[in-house]
Amino acid sequence: MKVYTKTGDKGTTALFGGTRVPKDHIRIDSYGTVDELNSYIGLIRDQEMDAHYKTILIEIQDRLFTVGAILATPAEKEVLKNGELRLKNLGIIDSDIELLENEIDKMEESLPQMTHFVLPGGHPTVSHCHIARCICRRAERLAVHLSHNEHVPEIAIKYLNRLSDYLFVLARKLSSDLKADEVKWIPRK
C-alpha cells in the first residue's frame, strides 16, 4: 500500500464513510488540530519525567485518536449499511474523563494553591505542556464550532476541555518536580 494516493491533489479529502470535503472544511480543521495536539503530546512524552506521567500521556494519545475518529465521521455515516456503528469499538466514555480528573486531583494535592496567573515557561518540558494546552483549547474551540452545524458528541468536547485542564496542572506539577521557576503574572497597578 502506497502512502500517497493522489486523491487529495485537488484540495479535497475523504471523511470516514467516504464523503469528500474541501481540506479547509471545519471538520478537517477540527480533527487535524486534534492530530496536531496528539503529536505535541508525543513530544512531551519524549521529555525526561516520571514514568507515571508517560503512561498517562500514552493513554491520552490513544483517546485523542478516538476523538479524531469521532470528529472525522459525519452523522450520516455513523451507522453502516448493515446497521452496525462505524465506530462501534471506539468512543470516549465517562471513565476517560474521570481518569483526567483523578490525575488532576492527585497532582494538585502536592501543589500550592494558585493565587496568581502563571506565565508559561521556566523549563522546556513545562513550556511544551503549555503549548499543548493551547493547541488543546484550539481543538476544543474548533469542535464546538463544528457542533453548531453538525453532530459532535458532547463527551468529545468535554474530554478536550478536561484535557486542557490536565495539561495546565501537569505543567505546574512538572515545574515543581523539575524545580523550575514558576513565574506569576502581576498586573500593573
Side-chain angles (χ1 to χ4, degrees):
M1 180 174 154
K2 291 188 177 196
V3 170
Y4 58 91
T5 62
K6 301 182 184 182
T7 57
D9 289 352
K10 293 188 179 182
T12 65
T13 192
L15 300 172
F16 273 2
T19 304
R20 293 202 69 81
V21 296
K23 289 187 176 185
D24 63 352
H25 189 281
I26 184 64
R27 187 173 289 283
I28 306 304
D29 204 11
S30 185
Y31 76 73
T33 303
V34 169
D35 185 37
E36 179 185 354
L37 172 61
N38 203 338
S39 297
Y40 219 92
I41 288 175
L43 179 63
I44 296 169
R45 192 170 46 85
D46 289 340
Q47 307 303 305
E48 292 298 320
M49 66 180 70
D50 186 272
H52 176 75
Y53 302 139
K54 291 183 180 219
T55 299
I56 299 299
L57 291 172
I58 289 170
E59 181 73 20
I60 289 168
Q61 287 185 287
D62 188 71
R63 294 290 77 74
L64 286 174
F65 263 106
T66 299
V67 171
I70 290 167
L71 294 173
T73 306
E76 68 274 8
K77 299 292 184 172
E78 288 178 358
V79 178
L80 299 170
K81 290 179 183 175
N82 66 7
E84 290 194 28
L85 292 175
R86 179 174 301 281
L87 303 176
K88 78 175 186 176
N89 295 322
L90 294 176
I92 299 296
I93 57 177
D94 290 334
S95 63
D96 297 322
I97 294 168
E98 289 166 8
L99 172 70
L100 296 175
E101 291 171 348
N102 291 336
E103 290 298 314
I104 289 168
D105 292 344
K106 280 187 230 171
M107 289 186 289
E108 284 189 325
E109 286 175 5
S110 65
L111 293 172
Q113 187 171 2
M114 284 199 48
T115 58
H116 293 82
F117 287 107
V118 176
L119 296 177
H123 189 280
T125 304
V126 173
S127 296
H128 288 310
C129 287
H130 282 291
I131 292 169
R133 174 185 54 80
C134 292
I135 296 169
C136 188
R137 285 289 186 204
R138 179 165 28 101
E140 179 187 11
R141 288 190 304 272
L142 289 167
V144 167
H145 181 86
L146 176 63
S147 77
H148 293 309
N149 299 310
E150 300 187 41
H151 172 70
V152 174
E154 187 177 308
I155 197 161
I157 294 170
K158 186 175 180 179
Y159 184 81
L160 291 171
N161 184 42
R162 203 67 80 254
L163 178 56
S164 64
D165 295 334
Y166 170 84
L167 291 166
F168 176 76
V169 176
L170 179 62
R172 290 196 69 223
K173 182 67 169 106
L174 290 172
S175 283
S176 175
D177 292 355
L178 297 165
K179 297 181 182 10
D181 289 332
E182 189 173 80
V183 179
K184 293 173 176 45
W185 174 69
I186 302 170
R188 292 182 186 164
K189 294 181 182 185

